[in-house]
Amino acid sequence: MSFSKFTIKDYVLIKKDWESLREAARRRCRSDEELAVVEQAYEFANTAHRNVRRRSGEPYMLHPIDVAKIVVSEIGLGYKSIAAALLHDVVEDTDTTVEDLRNIFGDKIALLVDGLTKIKTVLDNEDRKGTPVESLQAENLKRILLTLNDDVRVVLIKLADRLHNCRTIEFMPEHKRDKILSETMFIFIPLAHRLGLYTIKSEMENIWLRYKEPDAYKEISDRISRNVALRDKEIDEFIAPIEGALKRADISFRIIKRIKTPYSIWFKMRNKNVPFEQIYDLYAVRIIFDSNAGNVDAERQLAFRIYTILTGLYRSHPGRTRDWISSPKSNGYEALHCTLMSRAGIWIEVQIRSQRMDDIAERGIAAHWAYKNEGFISESDSSMDRWLAKVQEILVSPDVNSMELLDMVHKDLVTTDIVVFTPKGDQRTIQAGATVLDFAYLIHSHIGNTAIAAKVNMKLVPLSQVLHSGDQVEIITASNGRPKLEWLKFLQTRHAKNVVMDYFRANRPQFIESGRRLYEERLEALGIEPSKTLLRAFLEYIQVSDKDELFFRTGLGIIGPEVFRTVAGTGKYKQVREGMYVLAPCCRPIPGDPVIGFKRDDGSIMVHKKSCPEAERLASRYGNRVVVTEFSEERGGDFGVRVSLRGLDRLGLVNELTGYISFTMGINMTEINITSKDGVMEGYIELQVQDRHNLEVMLAGLQKIDGVQSVVRTDIQQK
C-alpha cells in the first residue's frame, strides 16, 4: 500500500464502482433498512481508506467494493455479509477496533469482520518472531476452518477476498505472487470446491495456470478460441433439435453453451497424458429447467424425462453418464450428465439441472442453505453437514500434531467421496480410493482390528480391495484377528491408519530402533552422510517435530525408500553448497520451464517447476523461503526428461522415432520402453535435452511422423 492524496479522477472511480455495488445490493436487500446498513458500511470504509492506494496505484477502496460485489453477485450473500466485505480491512489497516464496529454495526457484522481480520493476520504475518513457520501455517488453516463452525460466511467472504486478490495479482512481485498462488491452490481452491463455489474455483484455477504455466495457458487458450470459431455453428445445430423437442414436451427451460476451461484441459492433458486433440469433452451444453412442483422427487423425474428425450435424439456414450441427482456429491452438487454424439461427429457433454440445482452448483453452500431454510429439502443436505462435522472432529482431535494438520485437511478437501452399502443395505460414505479394510474401520475399530477378509457384491476379496461407488460390503472377522504391519501400506483413511499405528505403539521402542537402522542404511545406499540439516529436511517433509516419531514410522514401513529419494534429492544433497541450485527430483525442471525456488537451511536453492504439487505444498507452508530463481539455459549441461508416445504401429516406426531423436536432433536417449499390441504402439523414451525449446522442437518433429497420434512430456518415475 502507498499513500497519496486522491484526485478528482480517483473519487469518480470510487463512486462509479460503489454505484454498481449499490445497485446489486439493492436487489439483494429485503428492505430499505438493510440497504442503509450497506450504505453506512461503505461510507465508514471509504473514510477509513481515504488517500490509501494499492500496489496498482488505484484507490484501495476499490478492493473492498469489488470483494463486496463478489459476495453479493457471485455468492449471493445478504446485507450483513456485504457490509462485512466492505469493512473487512479497516481493523487490520486503520486505528478502528472491532469494538468500534460493534458499537456502530452490531454484534454480527463485528464478528464477521473480526473473523476475517484473524485470518488475514495469520496469512500475512508468516515471519512472526518466536513462531515456527510450519506451526503458523497450521494456525492459519485452523483459523480458517474453525470459522466454518463459527459462521461459514467468514470463509465465503474470505474466498471473495482471495479471488479479487488473484484478479489483481499482476501487480505483486514475483516471489509474493508465487506464494499467494500456491496458497490459493493448496487451500482456497479445494475449499471453494468443497463449499460448491464452482465459478470461483474455476476462475482461481485459470489465474493459477496463467502465471504458473504461462506458455501452456496461452497455447490452450489460443487453441480453444480457434476450435470454438470452427465449431460454434455445429454446437448451435446440435442444440436446435433439443430446443424443439423440449418445447414440444411443454418443458420450461434455458440452454447455455459452455467450453471447458484452460485449467481443466491442462489438468486432464497432464494427468491422462493426452494431447489437446484427445480432449473429447471440450464442449458442454447445460439445460436448466424450471420445476414448479416444489419437491425433489418431481425434479428428478423431470431430469430423467429430459435425459430420455436427449437419448432419443442422439447416441449416448455408455461410459460417460453421471447421475449426481440420485447420489449428490459431498459438496451438494446435483445434476445429470451425459455425453452425446452430434451429427457433425463430435462428442458433447450435456448437463441437466433444475434451477435450484444450478443455483447450488454456481453459488454453493450459500444457495444450498438458502433452499434448506425455505423448506426445500434434498438428500444433499446431510452430506454437507457430515463434512462440516468431520472437519470439526479433525480440529478437536487430541492426536493431531499441529504440523500434520495442513496436509490432513488439504487431503480431505481434495478427496472425493463414494457411496457404499452394508449387507443390510445401509448407505455409508467413504473417500474415493478407500479399501475394504478402511470400510471395516469406518464401521468400528474392533471390526477393523479383527478383519481377515471380506465379500464385495457377494464375492470373496482381500482386505486391500479398492472400493467403488455402489459396492455392497460384508466384513469377515475372526476372534483372534489382529492388525498387521502390511496393512499400513494400503490403508487410505486417516482414522484407519491411526488405529493401526496406535496398536503398534505398545512396541514403539523396538520400531524406533529398527527405523533408526533403516534410516542410516538407506542414506548409506544413496551415498549420503547423516546430518542435522538432512534430519530437519525429513521432519519438515513428513510434518512431525520428533525424530523418534520419524524413526517409528520408518520402522513401521510408512516411510518407504521413495521418501528418502525425494527428500535427499537422489544423492544431490551431499553436493550442496552456498547458493547452489539443486533440481527437485519430484518434477525435474529443465531450463525454460517456469520455476520456483526454495532457500534451504544450508543456503542452497531447491528448484521446482511452478506447477509441481510438491512446490505448491512447500510454498503454502514456507512463503518466506520462496525466492526468484535465475535457473536458465546458461547453466549448460543436459537434463533428463521422459516423452510418452502412442500411435498406430507399422514396420520401422520405432527406428524412425529413434533415428529422428538421435541423428536429426542429436539428442541422447537413456532408456526406451515401447510395446506393440493389436496394432497399437505405446510407451516412453527417456532422454537428455539442453532446455525446453530443444524439447519442444523435438516433440513437434515426432508428432509429424506417420502413425504417431500423441507425444507428450511426462514425469520421470523415481527409481
Side-chain angles (χ1 to χ4, degrees):
M1 289 188 297
S2 62
F3 298 86
S4 65
K5 193 171 182 180
F6 284 176
T7 65
I8 294 175
K9 183 179 179 181
D10 292 324
Y11 287 116
V12 170
L13 198 61
I14 294 171
K15 184 177 180 182
K16 182 180 179 181
D17 213 24
W18 157 242
E19 288 297 335
S20 173
L21 169 62
R22 186 180 183 280
E23 180 57 27
R26 185 188 62 76
R27 292 193 297 269
R28 185 69 179 81
C29 291
R30 291 173 294 185
S31 66
D32 290 341
E33 288 75 18
E34 289 186 353
L35 182 59
V37 173
V38 174
E39 292 171 335
Q40 186 181 17
Y42 162 72
E43 295 294 345
F44 189 96
N46 195 26
T47 300
H49 295 305
R50 184 166 295 157
N51 296 325
V52 181
R53 298 182 184 276
R54 304 191 81 202
R55 288 178 183 267
S56 63
E58 293 180 329
Y60 191 88
M61 188 58 203
L62 296 180
H63 170 65
I65 291 175
D66 288 342
V67 171
K69 282 184 182 179
I70 296 170
V71 163
V72 64
S73 299
E74 299 183 45
I75 303 179
L77 296 177
Y79 79 102
K80 291 179 182 177
S81 298
I82 302 170
L86 286 166
L87 298 164
H88 78 271
D89 279 334
V90 296
V91 173
E92 175 73 13
D93 297 340
T94 74
D95 294 332
T96 304
T97 66
V98 173
E99 194 59 36
D100 293 334
L101 296 181
R102 182 174 286 108
N103 292 334
I104 300 170
F105 297 100
D107 285 342
K108 182 50 67 176
I109 291 175
L111 285 171
L112 291 174
V113 175
D114 188 37
L116 290 161
T117 302
K118 287 173 179 173
I119 292 175
K120 188 174 189 292
T121 299
V122 294
L123 284 173
D124 291 349
N125 294 289
E126 59 187 22
D127 297 322
R128 193 185 308 163
K129 291 182 179 179
T131 304
V133 173
E134 59 270 18
S135 297
L136 186 61
Q137 292 296 77
E139 178 190 344
N140 161 5
L141 183 62
K142 194 166 186 175
R143 167 58 55 187
I144 293 171
L145 293 172
L146 280 171
T147 58
L148 281 173
N149 297 285
D150 295 339
D151 193 324
V152 72
R153 289 176 294 183
V154 174
V155 175
L156 296 175
I157 298 168
K158 185 61 201 175
L159 281 166
D161 177 49
R162 176 51 59 107
L163 174 59
H164 188 254
N165 281 329
C166 287
R167 286 175 176 174
T168 56
I169 203 166
E170 64 187 284
F171 301 105
M172 291 283 184
E174 187 175 353
H175 73 281
K176 184 73 171 176
R177 188 164 63 220
D178 283 333
K179 185 258 185 188
I180 289 173
L181 287 173
S182 296
E183 190 177 71
T184 299
M185 177 57 75
F186 203 78
I187 298 174
F188 289 101
I189 287 174
L191 197 55
H193 170 74
R194 268 295 186 174
L195 295 175
L197 298 167
Y198 173 80
T199 303
I200 288 176
K201 166 184 174 284
S202 294
E203 186 175 350
M204 288 196 293
E205 285 173 339
N206 284 328
I207 293 170
W208 179 91
L209 183 64
R210 191 166 76 217
Y211 288 98
K212 291 285 188 173
E213 292 282 351
D215 292 343
Y217 177 84
K218 184 178 186 305
E219 180 184 357
I220 292 171
S221 298
D222 289 346
R223 295 192 74 165
I224 289 173
S225 297
R226 291 196 298 270
N227 218 287
V228 169
L230 291 171
R231 300 286 190 185
D232 201 46
K233 183 180 178 183
E234 293 175 356
I235 304 298
D236 288 339
E237 290 172 350
F238 170 80
I239 291 173
I242 296 175
E243 287 180 327
L246 294 180
K247 286 176 181 177
R248 287 191 296 274
D250 198 27
I251 295 172
S252 176
F253 69 95
R254 57 192 173 95
I255 294 181
I256 298 172
K257 293 187 290 187
R258 185 188 68 81
I259 305 297
K260 206 171 184 69
T261 65
Y263 174 85
S264 61
I265 293 173
W266 173 83
F267 184 83
K268 192 165 188 177
M269 289 170 64
R270 186 185 69 169
N271 280 29
K272 301 286 187 181
N273 292 334
V274 297
F276 182 91
E277 291 78 11
Q278 292 181 24
I279 304 295
Y280 296 120
D281 55 349
L282 182 61
Y283 305 97
V285 169
R286 184 172 301 153
I287 300 172
I288 303 169
F289 64 89
D290 295 326
S291 175
N292 300 319
N295 65 74
V296 174
D297 288 338
E299 277 190 349
R300 286 180 177 171
Q301 291 171 14
L302 186 50
F304 281 100
R305 183 183 171 205
I306 292 172
Y307 171 77
T308 302
I309 292 171
L310 296 179
T311 53
L313 294 170
Y314 298 106
R315 180 165 63 90
S316 175
H317 193 304
R320 295 197 57 83
T321 299
R322 300 289 184 268
D323 180 6
W324 300 115
I325 292 179
S326 300
S327 299
K329 291 185 179 181
S330 56
N331 62 5
Y333 179 83
E334 298 174 74
L336 187 59
H337 292 193
C338 59
T339 301
L340 307 176
M341 175 63 76
S342 75
R343 289 165 190 167
I346 58 174
W347 289 108
I348 299 176
E349 183 182 80
V350 179
Q351 303 166 352
I352 305 169
R353 303 176 182 172
S354 68
Q355 184 60 57
R356 178 188 65 85
M357 295 173 191
D358 190 64
D359 288 341
I360 291 172
E362 298 303 308
R363 296 193 284 115
I365 194 172
H368 174 83
W369 282 347
Y371 279 103
K372 184 176 179 179
N373 291 336
E374 291 171 6
F376 200 122
I377 306 298
S378 73
E379 291 179 7
S380 60
D381 291 334
S382 58
S383 62
M384 180 64 75
D385 294 336
R386 279 197 305 271
W387 178 72
L388 291 173
K390 183 179 178 183
V391 169
Q392 178 66 16
E393 178 188 349
I394 293 173
L395 292 171
V396 301
S397 176
D399 65 340
V400 177
N401 184 300
S402 64
M403 291 191 296
E404 292 179 280
L405 181 67
L406 195 62
D407 272 337
M408 187 184 301
V409 178
H410 171 259
K411 184 176 181 180
D412 181 70
L413 287 171
V414 300
T415 299
T416 55
D417 292 336
I418 60 172
V419 173
V420 294
F421 298 90
T422 68
K424 294 182 179 180
D426 295 331
Q427 180 176 307
R428 297 297 177 95
T429 300
I430 195 167
Q431 72 181 49
T435 65
V436 165
L437 187 56
D438 287 295
F439 178 77
Y441 278 107
L442 175 68
I443 299 301
H444 195 279
S445 296
H446 178 70
I447 293 177
N449 283 340
T450 58
I452 57 171
K455 289 183 179 179
V456 173
N457 304 325
M458 305 301 291
K459 294 182 180 179
L460 193 66
V461 298
L463 294 174
S464 58
Q465 175 82 19
V466 175
L467 294 172
H468 299 91
S469 193
D471 282 345
Q472 188 171 42
V473 189
E474 177 186 352
I475 305 298
I476 301 171
T477 62
S479 58
N480 62 347
R482 297 290 182 271
K484 297 177 175 59
L485 276 178
E486 55 264 31
W487 288 1
L488 290 168
K489 295 179 180 179
F490 61 78
L491 282 171
Q492 299 297 313
T493 60
R494 180 185 69 90
H495 170 69
K497 286 181 179 179
N498 283 346
V499 174
V500 175
M501 285 176 60
D502 287 344
Y503 177 82
F504 289 107
R505 285 189 188 279
N507 299 313
R508 193 168 187 263
Q510 294 94 308
F511 285 110
I512 289 175
E513 185 55 37
S514 64
R516 191 191 310 275
R517 288 197 302 271
L518 268 175
Y519 178 83
E520 293 170 353
E521 289 169 2
R522 286 172 179 169
L523 290 183
E524 183 179 358
L526 291 170
I528 299 172
E529 290 289 332
S531 66
K532 290 182 179 179
T533 300
L534 183 55
L535 179 62
R536 282 198 301 271
F538 272 99
L539 296 177
E540 285 180 1
Y541 184 82
I542 66 169
Q543 293 296 285
V544 298
S545 56
D546 181 359
K547 66 179 181 181
D548 283 348
E549 184 65 18
L550 165 66
F551 297 143
F552 174 62
R553 297 186 185 196
T554 303
L556 286 176
I558 297 173
I559 301 172
E562 70 285 349
V563 175
F564 280 75
R565 289 192 292 268
T566 297
V567 175
T570 59
K572 294 179 181 176
Y573 207 96
K574 61 182 180 180
Q575 304 169 3
V576 169
R577 62 181 181 272
E578 180 70 28
M580 179 178 179
Y581 289 117
V582 181
L583 304 186
C586 49
C587 57
R588 299 184 184 236
I590 63 176
D593 283 337
V595 293
I596 183 172
F598 297 91
K599 192 163 187 178
R600 303 197 296 187
D601 291 340
D602 59 5
S604 67
I605 296 173
M606 179 68 83
V607 180
H608 291 260
K609 290 171 65 176
K610 283 191 175 185
S611 56
C612 171
E614 177 63 11
E616 298 297 283
R617 188 183 76 86
L618 290 170
S620 69
R621 273 172 185 72
Y622 312 113
N624 60 325
R625 296 189 182 187
V626 174
V627 295
V628 177
T629 71
E630 299 297 330
F631 177 64
S632 67
E633 56 273 7
E634 295 175 3
R635 286 175 52 91
D638 292 324
F639 300 85
V641 297
R642 173 181 287 186
V643 172
S644 294
L645 307 101
R646 182 178 174 86
L648 300 176
D649 196 18
R650 60 175 172 79
L651 188 65
L653 177 58
V654 174
N655 284 337
E656 193 170 342
L657 292 170
T658 56
Y660 177 80
I661 294 171
S662 295
F663 300 114
T664 304
M665 294 295 301
I667 293 174
N668 181 44
M669 292 175 288
T670 57
E671 183 176 339
I672 301 175
N673 188 327
I674 295 177
T675 61
S676 177
K677 185 177 180 181
D678 299 328
V680 176
M681 173 277 298
E682 62 182 341
Y684 64 83
I685 301 174
E686 292 185 3
L687 27 80
Q688 300 284 316
V689 298
Q690 295 176 341
D691 53 42
R692 185 164 171 161
H693 175 72
N694 187 216
L695 172 65
E696 289 174 348
V697 170
M698 184 200 70
L699 292 176
L702 291 175
Q703 187 71 63
K704 294 176 182 176
I705 293 176
D706 183 36
V708 174
Q709 291 184 334
S710 70
V711 51
V712 293
R713 175 185 176 184
T714 51
D715 292 333
I716 293 180
Q717 306 301 313
Q718 294 185 34
K719 302 168 186 173

